[in-house]
Amino acid sequence: MDATPHAPHPQPGPYAAIHAASLGDPEAFWLDAARAIDWTRPPTRAFDPSAGSYGRWFPDGSLNACHNAVDRHVAAGRGEQAAILYDSPVTATKRRITYADLRDAVATLAGVLRDFGVGRGDRVVIYMPMVPEALFGMLACARLGAVHSVVFGGFAANELAIRIQDAAPKVVLAASCGIEPSRVVAYKPLLDAAIAASAHKPEACLVLQRPQARADLVAGRDRDWAETVARAQVEGTRADCVAVAATDPLYILYTSGTTGNPKGVVRDTGGYCVALKWSMPSLYDVQPGETYFCASDIGWVVGHSYIVYAPLLHGCTTVLYEGKPVGTPDAGALWRVVTEYGVACLFTAPTALRAIKKEDPRAERVGDYDLSAFRSLFLAGERADPDSVAWAERALGRPVIDHWWQTETGWAIAGNPVGLGQLPVKHGSACVPMPGYDLKVLDEAGKPVPAGTMGTIALRLPLPPGCLPTLWGSDERFRTSYLTTYPGWYDTSDAGIVDEEGYVTVLGRTDDIINVAGHRLSTGGMEAVLASHPDVAECAVIGIRDALKGEQPCGFVVLKSGVERPTQAIEGELVALVREQIGPVAAFKLALTVQRLPKTRSGKILRGTMKRIADGEPWTTPPTIDDAGVLDEIGASLKGRGIGAG
């Protein structure tokens, strides 16, 4: 391991010393962090550089993630503390589940899975909505040393089939349906079709029947969840925690939007528990016993890490919210939850913030609630445009912290470590690298570039604990996907800059860097300019094919509610604004007003699909899309300007 610290310009205060220590002596740093976790066999060394593709963390340690997230808190006297607060405005349901309740529910479900033949190393696919039983399923797998693979509820049958085929689960945990504000989505027909299409057939499916849509069960394969669990409770069926190696997989999470063979990101148990436990007080400034609200979905990495594992590992109360930021019932939904449960820290996506801002531009709903217990808002998942961050700062009077990470890393690559002493906020920046991340911006030859210069963000190997050690069943694909472009580095495939003070600004995927007449330009930079316009709620910029210049930027904008000015005038102002702030080199001449942008269910804007429509290339509806009808609207808007097929 390279023992030389690589912080460009260390910040004053604890952060600089802590980050330098993590790079200068990672062995000591992470063994010290590991003491916050219960081990059945404590590790004697932090890292083995000879194992795996780039090394493995805590190679001689063993532990159980469920014990750390549940049982140890009951043993420490937290049994009556709320572990999960389930709040479902779409079903008008609320539940308070204590740590003791959670231990009992998970031990029983683990006993049921054990009786189905599930043991250490076996896979279980979980295809469920945001209900407590989904969390019980994840933790029950962890209790047995089994490997869970959560697939976002309502995913198309073909995509689910690909994942079943790849993970080869012994059992599937499913629900009959999911609930959207305007519709009920039947899951079971999708599951049946997926199993029919997969060469691998699970031995059993445990199905949670929801009253909004009951499912038909397949005789001999499917079991009713409630009946099976009730019988196990009567019979006293329970399973104890099984110790696993720190390097054993805890879960597989497939990268969203995959076609063909998916990338199954593997998360190992020991490093993940250590990294997440460290992050709760140090990054998010949350203490055991406090309430933490991550408004994501368990189908995504953010939900895995900060709805389920991190808050429970830290002894917090986690909020499980089955609703939307707007429409369930209004743009005050998240502030209502924060107030009702005394939330200390809220973590959501910038797209949720923009949706709230669009519906409530003057932040009038914020005034309806008592936010006295609320300390900070964290954002991740999409670029956080400076205008929305500033809007939230004014509305909430609290720190609004953008931070950046990936499915592959499992926790933040860069952020503002509030618990160590908050650093100054720079709008548009994800702040500084977290401990263990040796981050550089590289040019196409793999050489570090000067401060303030755009390039590819890369992480010097080894990656810190919590990050993926490999892809499921494919070490070679892991190496070729992430490690070969820049030998000795992990390629994030994100473009960005690091400034003189070491602050990281992520400008988008390297695919989002467009080439206009030989100039490499960031669509993210243009989006930040468009978002600063007072009438714009959200936006997306793509590069569309241009015979003369190679590509030309095209900006799609959604206006705030209540804006009645002519769209042509606003679009003209936007073109002028980009020219003024970025310069004529951007060649930005096309702004299109649309009603909405195409997004995944996790809120990521589908820029790649928009580009294919604009370029007149063949395209298919991404399986992760929230509403496929938006793509036709985008096509019609482009066609109205003479762009795209037809």
Side-chain angles (χ1 to χ4, degrees), residues 345-378:
C345 179
L346 168 63
F347 178 174
T348 192
T351 190
L353 196 64
R354 289 191 288 266
I356 294 168
K357 185 178 71 166
K358 179 178 185 292
E359 294 300 314
D360 184 21
R362 286 188 284 276
E364 293 168 337
R365 296 284 73 77
V366 175
D368 297 340
Y369 299 99
D370 175 8
L371 303 181
S372 55
F374 181 51
R375 295 198 298 270
S376 58
L377 170 63
F378 279 78

Side-chain angles (χ1 to χ4, degrees), residues 555-615:
F556 298 80
V557 296
V558 178
L559 303 181
K560 293 175 181 174
S561 296
V563 173
E564 296 179 354
R565 299 176 59 220
T567 57
Q568 189 172 357
I570 295 171
E571 290 169 2
E573 291 169 4
L574 292 170
V575 170
L577 198 61
V578 173
R579 184 181 182 88
E580 173 192 324
Q581 295 195 20
I582 295 180
V585 67
F588 185 88
K589 298 175 182 176
L590 185 60
L592 279 175
T593 303
V594 295
Q595 292 300 308
R596 51 191 183 151
L597 296 171
K599 298 177 184 177
T600 66
R601 293 184 185 91
S602 66
K604 292 185 186 296
I605 297 169
L606 293 162
R607 296 176 179 83
T609 305
M610 294 168 70
K611 176 174 172 55
R612 284 188 285 276
I613 294 171
D615 287 344

Side-chain angles (χ1 to χ4, degrees), residues 151-206:
V151 179
F152 188 94
F155 233 32
N158 178 60
E159 295 300 317
L160 178 57
I162 291 169
R163 288 150 176 77
I164 290 173
Q165 177 75 33
D166 193 67
K170 186 165 282 189
V171 173
V172 175
L173 303 180
S176 59
C177 67
I179 317 294
E180 297 290 329
S182 59
R183 61 195 172 113
V184 174
V185 182
Y187 288 2
K188 187 56 164 46
L190 298 170
L191 174 61
D192 290 340
I195 293 173
S198 171
H200 174 82
K201 310 296 181 185
E203 295 174 17
C205 298
L206 192 63

